[in-house]
Amino acid sequence: MVSQVRRQPLGAQAAELLLARIRAGEWPLGHRLPGETLLAAQLGVGRSTLREAIRELAGKGVLDSRQGAGVFVTALDVSEDWDVVLRGATIAAVIEARIAIEAEAAALAAQRRTPADLRAIRRALAGRRAEGQTVAAHVDADMAFHRAVIVAAHNDVLTQLFDSFLPRLRLAMIDMLELRPVRSEEADHCAHEQLAQAIADRTPTAAAEFSRTHLSALKEAFT
């Protein structure tokens, strides 16, 4: 196993070696790395090169340099770009992630929704029933409803997570509905009405369950 840097660029090579040792479990999550002098000697680089490597890994969220305390492991690997992860994910996996996000968001929306949020949810609900919609337009209206529910949770992280799913999910939904239309549009719309009503009634448990049940049925349609 290579234990020292032997070719250029030194900073990038040192970062790769540090990351390999972190992945191998040499330094667990939250652990402090050895001192700068010792670590530089182990890698066979100067202290300035080591600092460059640490900066690179800190920028990727793997290390955290704390003044006066040392350098700590904050992740065990470099996270892949979110778009790359979603492009490679199955639709079933994306919907499972939606269940985790949207069931919690529905419960929060039932607790936190404002009159304006409720109006937005009901407008989006009505938009799902517009006459003469193309499949793409119906999918967009459906996504607008689910997003209105998440916005009503008043948690920006949940909203941004949902927004990151939209491009991957939209295309898959259009493809699926063009091949296999919903068996009962009335039952599907009723499920959305139940969710909206639970939010209006401020019943978090019911809202979460309606969201989970609807999305679980959607997942089954893809498998």
Side-chain angles (χ1 to χ4, degrees), residues 64-81:
D64 180 29
S65 183
R66 303 170 190 170
Q67 188 171 6
V71 178
F72 293 81
V73 177
T74 50
L76 301 179
D77 206 345
V78 176
S79 297
E80 286 191 73
D81 181 82

Side-chain angles (χ1 to χ4, degrees), residues 13-175:
Q13 287 297 311
E16 288 178 11
L17 290 171
L18 281 175
L19 184 57
R21 291 170 70 175
I22 290 168
R23 285 171 174 158
E26 185 170 346
W27 302 300
L29 192 65
H31 195 83
R32 184 168 61 86
L33 267 57
E36 191 176 86
T37 301
L38 175 60
L39 197 52
Q42 288 179 357
L43 296 176
V45 299
R47 292 168 66 179
S48 61
T49 299
L50 175 63
R51 290 180 195 131
E52 182 182 338
I54 289 171
R55 279 196 299 272
E56 179 175 331
L57 292 180
K60 294 177 178 179
V62 175
L63 297 176
D64 180 29
S65 183
R66 303 170 190 170
Q67 188 171 6
V71 178
F72 293 81
V73 177
T74 50
L76 301 179
D77 206 345
V78 176
S79 297
E80 286 191 73
D81 181 82
W82 193 232
D83 290 337
V84 174
V85 172
L86 288 176
R87 282 198 298 270
T90 65
I91 291 302
V94 172
I95 294 173
E96 286 173 356
R98 278 189 66 189
I99 292 170
I101 292 169
E102 293 190 50
E104 178 63 19
L108 291 174
Q111 296 171 26
R112 301 173 178 174
R113 60 90 175 158
T114 65
D117 291 327
L118 197 54
R119 287 193 296 272
I121 289 170
R122 286 174 169 158
R123 279 196 304 270
L125 184 65
R128 297 184 78 258
R129 304 217 78 172
E131 294 292 333
Q133 285 183 329
T134 63
V135 169
H138 175 72
V139 168
D140 288 341
D142 183 64
M143 294 295 100
F145 170 80
H146 287 279
R147 191 178 191 279
V149 170
I150 292 174
V151 168
H154 294 275
N155 183 309
D156 290 342
V157 175
L158 291 177
T159 302
Q160 289 181 41
L161 282 170
F162 180 79
D163 286 347
S164 70
F165 288 142
L166 277 180
R168 175 81 170 98
L169 186 64
R170 179 180 183 274
L171 295 177
M173 287 292 296
I174 291 171
D175 288 345

